[in-house]
Amino acid sequence: MSYSIGQVSKELGITIDTIRYYDKAGLLPFVNRNEAGRREFTDNDVHLMRTIICLKNAGVSVADISIFIQMRLKGDGTLEQRYNLLKNHEKNLQQQITDLKDTMSYLKYKEWYYKTAVEAGTEEIHFVPCTNGCLPELEEQYCDYLKKQGDLIELDNFVNVRDYRNR
Amino acid sequence: MSYSIGQVSKELGITIDTIRYYDKAGLLPFVNRNEAGRREFTDNDVHLMRTIICLKNAGVSVADISIFIQMRLKGDGTLEQRYNLLKNHEKNLQQQITDLKDTMSYLKYKEWYYKTAVEAGTEEIHFVPCTNGCLPELEEQYCDYLKKQGDLIELDNFVNVRDYRNR
DNA sequence: GCTTGTCCTGGAGTTGACTCCAGGTTATAA
DNA sequence: TTATAACCTGGAGTCAACTCCAGGACAAGC
């Protein structure tokens, strides 16, 4: 049993053009063709493509994934290299996750900022009078708000982010 | 006290060209110039730029950040719109974090796959004999490994990801 | 006062990851 | 059997986000 490019496209949620682009870029050397030259994908091919998409989601470039696939073709001699490549991308990924969490923390602070401003009807409640600069105690006020909410995890995270940003 | 574009560049870890690009794109209408036409950044400007970089890290496009900044210039009438814009990006961000965590889970599985293959000296230990396809019980083996390690959180996450992928 | 460094603008070039198109072949359904 | 749907290739186009460059102005150290 095999699948056409259109079926795989639907299954994986990526366009036909993208699959062909990946093929051109050397990401799919394992996909066979029928007599007419059309691609025929096996279940295993689709599984491998899920791994490729996973690496993409992890922020690995098409060029790097291509290197990984080329190593795969070379056999067992490259096992360790492949392991190291993944380990490296795990580090990147961990950093990305940390960054996004920090960004989220900051975003929540900004949401609080705008929620309170909307309630007050003006942004000025956060400014030093007669300026466009924020009050120095603003972040402290937000911490108090988090404490009142009992959100100690977010509080802890925000304090870290704030320390970093004001470094 | 004010800073030159070069100082800000170092402070924020982005290039001078990128700062000028952001300015051209309408992200920095608040930055003033001196008599000679050079940009002079205040502490508050730098603080605002950190927020812009934060939004960038959250995956917000330069065009969307520009909209946000334009709303800021329009004053209190846009407070609610700004809050909603942030709330929307919070959703995106939460999705990104979830995706990255799932990707991480899958990456760890692949690392285990390669670690065991390296130890065995060949990738074939994971294949159905005489094929290039993986054993159907492979993921189960990994689950057993996680259980033995006592890593029940990762186990739980991996099972979810696996269910989704094998949907 | 001269050299070297930092800044300015407008605009062109680059990169990565697609996305689209022309022109053609094969498969399927009425 | 004929239309239309799905596939093929090579190559051009697009888009976002930079990145670089030419040509010129101002600043700072010696």
Side-chain angles (χ1 to χ4, degrees):
Chain A
M1 186 50 198
S2 71
Y3 311 97
S4 71
I5 195 169
Q7 289 172 308
V8 173
S9 157
K10 269 179 202 147
E11 174 73 17
L12 298 178
I14 57 179
T15 70
I16 290 176
D17 271 321
T18 300
I19 295 175
R20 285 204 271 252
Y21 165 70
Y22 286 168
D23 201 359
K24 280 183 198 171
L27 265 54
L28 311 175
F30 46 81
V31 176
N32 290 321
R33 308 292 183 108
N34 66 13
E35 326 74 49
R38 294 190 175 192
R39 292 173 185 85
E40 291 194 324
F41 298 77
T42 67
D43 279 312
N44 198 38
D45 291 348
V46 174
H47 190 77
L48 276 167
M49 288 175 74
R50 282 192 205 276
T51 302
I52 286 171
I53 291 168
C54 165
L55 289 173
K56 278 247 71 223
N57 291 343
V60 184
S61 70
V62 167
D64 276 5
I65 298 174
S66 175
I67 290 169
F68 190 80
I69 299 289
Q70 299 312 312
M71 292 199 302
R72 233 186 89 94
L73 287 179
K74 285 197 190 138
D76 287 338
T78 62
L79 280 173
E80 202 149 354
Q81 289 173 51
R82 283 185 267 167
Y83 175 74
N84 291 334
L85 196 146
L86 292 186
K87 256 295 182 207
N88 260 330
H89 281 299
E90 185 192 320
K91 262 186 229 139
N92 288 349
L93 196 54
Q94 192 51 63
Q95 189 57 54
Q96 281 181 59
I97 291 173
T98 307
D99 285 354
L100 285 189
K101 280 187 176 170
D102 289 352
T103 302
M104 179 64 110
S105 203
Y106 190 69
L107 212 54
K108 283 191 173 156
Y109 164 59
K110 280 279 149 181
E111 283 173 19
W112 168 82
Y113 176 98
Y114 281 112
K115 194 162 60 80
T116 47
V118 167
E119 280 160 15
T122 174
E123 200 172 347
E124 282 166 27
I125 56 157
H126 296 315
F127 292 161
V128 176
C130 306
T131 71
N132 278 319
C134 285
L135 291 163
E137 66 268 29
L138 194 55
E139 294 177 352
E140 214 45 65
Q141 281 178 23
Y142 177 60
C143 288
D144 290 345
Y145 162 80
L146 285 177
K147 271 179 214 154
K148 231 177 265 164
Q149 299 283 311
D151 194 345
L152 297 178
I153 294 167
E154 184 56 31
L155 174 65
D156 202 48
N157 198 32
F158 177 70
V159 169
N160 284 338
V161 172
R162 186 178 59 154
D163 282 355
Y164 172 74
R165 286 170 50 93
N166 296 340
R167 169 187 26 155
Chain B
M1 185 51 199
S2 71
Y3 311 97
S4 70
I5 195 169
Q7 288 172 309
V8 173
S9 157
K10 269 179 203 148
E11 173 72 18
L12 297 178
I14 57 178
T15 70
I16 288 176
D17 271 321
T18 300
I19 295 175
R20 284 204 271 251
Y21 165 70
Y22 286 167
D23 200 0
K24 279 183 200 172
L27 266 54
L28 312 175
F30 47 81
V31 175
N32 291 320
R33 308 289 184 111
N34 65 14
E35 327 74 50
R38 296 192 172 189
R39 292 172 185 86
E40 291 194 324
F41 298 78
T42 67
D43 278 313
N44 198 38
D45 291 347
V46 174
H47 189 76
L48 275 168
M49 289 176 74
R50 281 192 207 277
T51 301
I52 287 172
I53 291 168
C54 168
L55 289 173
K56 278 248 71 222
N57 291 344
V60 184
S61 70
V62 167
D64 277 5
I65 298 174
S66 175
I67 291 169
F68 189 81
I69 299 287
Q70 299 312 313
M71 292 197 302
R72 233 186 88 95
L73 287 180
K74 285 198 191 136
D76 287 338
T78 62
L79 279 174
E80 202 148 354
Q81 288 174 53
R82 283 185 266 167
Y83 175 74
N84 291 334
L85 197 147
L86 291 186
K87 256 296 182 208
N88 260 331
H89 282 300
E90 185 192 320
K91 264 187 228 137
N92 289 349
L93 196 55
Q94 191 52 62
Q95 190 57 53
Q96 281 182 58
I97 290 173
T98 307
D99 286 353
L100 284 189
K101 278 187 176 169
D102 289 352
T103 302
M104 178 65 111
S105 202
Y106 190 70
L107 211 54
K108 282 192 174 158
Y109 164 59
K110 280 279 149 182
E111 282 173 19
W112 167 83
Y113 175 98
Y114 281 113
K115 194 162 61 79
T116 48
V118 166
E119 279 160 15
T122 175
E123 200 172 347
E124 282 166 26
I125 58 156
H126 296 314
F127 291 160
V128 176
C130 306
T131 71
N132 277 320
C134 285
L135 291 164
E137 66 267 31
L138 195 54
E139 294 176 352
E140 215 43 66
Q141 282 177 24
Y142 178 59
C143 288
D144 290 346
Y145 161 80
L146 286 176
K147 271 178 214 154
K148 230 177 266 165
Q149 299 283 310
D151 194 345
L152 298 178
I153 294 167
E154 183 57 30
L155 174 65
D156 201 49
N157 197 31
F158 177 70
V159 169
N160 283 339
V161 172
R162 186 179 57 154
D163 282 355
Y164 171 74
R165 285 170 49 92
N166 297 340
R167 165 190 30 152

